[in-house]
Amino acid sequence: MCKKAIIAMSGGVDSSVSALIMKERGYDCIGANMKLYTNEDAGISREKGCCSLSDVEDAKSVAHRLDMPFYVFNFTDKFHECVIDRFINAYEQGKTPNPCIDCNRYLKFDKLFIRMKEIDFDYIVTGHYARIEYDENSKRWLLKKAVDDSKDQSYVLYMLTQEQLRHVQFPLGNMKKTEVREIAERHGFVNARKHDSQDICFVPDGDYAGFIERTTGKSFKKGNFTDKNGNVLGEHKGIIHYTVGQRKGLGVAFGKPMFVCGIDPTENRVILGENDELFSDSLTADNVNLISCDNLREPMRVCAKVRYRQKEQPALAWQTDDGLLHVKFDGPQRAITKGQAVVLYDGDTVVGGGEII
């Protein structure tokens, strides 16, 4: 019997070429665009962000060209609850969230995964740059880095479970981005040269604080900039405007470079310091998901990264009885930030990861 696949089509070139590849492999495919957010609700132009009408039309155009049924699934309520609300809550708590990871966890590989089962399909297919392999020795599905290191997205996929990995395919994992665009041009796809999205879809102008204020209707109180000893250095405009490591936009002149080193929502203060005060060599994470093994009760040598664009760094990782993940780096790391993910690697294999607390 022919295997059936739902292609998550955003309107971009990556998911479009993924659809083509699955069709060429003989799968029975449908295209699915996930309606996640209405941009007008936040006062943002309809033509910006991943929920714009033009993106839906691009996805529909490619599906039609591939003679593939195309549907739009409305997941706006789930997206607001699991991505937008979590995003806002994190900033209110002085954290810096990663909504792309939440979107993968709760929408692409949960809500869409449930829909896949409801209609009796076999696979979810996305345009992510990563690889999935089955290891006969461990009897586990493994998540691995993409061949194109500059496009690798394994960091934002660390939350995938064994059950999900068994029913997910990433056709672009062994390809270079240049190859993907060439294929799209060769097949006349309307989005062959479309730029990759660089912004958070629901905040395409990058003004996170403005989005939070518009969405919640709240105004956030001013407070004190302090040093690590509590000495007052000036006044900040509300903690949602800051993230650890930030230098620009502080609005106060100090005569030397100063950076956000911490955010204390309880005292409504933003802690500033010089660059060397941003470095630390250890972290703790919760909401842990492990892929290549069941647990890390025994310390394991890994390479770890604490943000998407960072080069992974050598470290020792282990779990305590409460399930928390502890990582001790061989050397100090800059701006380890609450709310971001730490992801562990063994070579090109993702061991797992968690949310930094």
Side-chain angles (χ1 to χ4, degrees), residues 4-6 28-30 116-117 119-123 167:
K4 297 184 288 186
I6 296 179
D28 181 7
C29 300
I30 65 169
M116 175 198 77
K117 290 184 174 181
I119 62 176
D120 199 28
F121 268 52
D122 303 292
Y123 294 101
H167 291 281

Side-chain angles (χ1 to χ4, degrees), residues 318-338:
W318 69 95
Q319 280 181 294
T320 41
D321 291 340
D322 54 11
L324 292 177
L325 175 65
H326 302 269
V327 180
K328 175 77 170 179
F329 291 94
D330 290 4
Q333 305 299 307
R334 188 179 187 276
I336 296 175
T337 306
K338 293 178 183 179

Side-chain angles (χ1 to χ4, degrees), residues 135-146:
D135 181 53
E136 287 289 349
N137 293 325
S138 64
K139 305 299 181 186
R140 297 181 74 89
W141 292 93
L142 302 179
L143 175 66
K144 296 195 168 189
K145 292 181 186 177

Side-chain angles (χ1 to χ4, degrees), residues 24-94:
E24 290 179 338
R25 290 176 180 173
Y27 285 78
D28 181 7
C29 300
I30 65 169
N33 179 272
M34 296 189 299
K35 180 176 174 56
L36 303 177
Y37 189 69
T38 303
N39 287 341
E40 296 96 309
D41 290 346
I44 298 169
S45 167
R46 207 170 186 182
E47 293 307 311
K48 295 182 179 179
C50 72
C51 295
S52 69
L53 285 177
S54 62
D55 286 328
V56 177
E57 289 304 315
D58 288 347
K60 186 176 181 180
S61 168
V62 171
H64 178 73
R65 198 172 190 89
L66 296 175
D67 193 26
M68 191 171 71
F70 179 77
Y71 303 92
V72 176
F73 296 150
N74 189 341
F75 294 153
T76 53
D77 289 346
K78 185 74 171 180
F79 186 75
H80 205 289
E81 173 192 350
C82 295
V83 179
I84 293 178
D85 287 350
R86 286 174 61 86
F87 177 87
I88 292 170
N89 186 56
Y91 269 104
E92 289 178 328
Q93 294 182 40

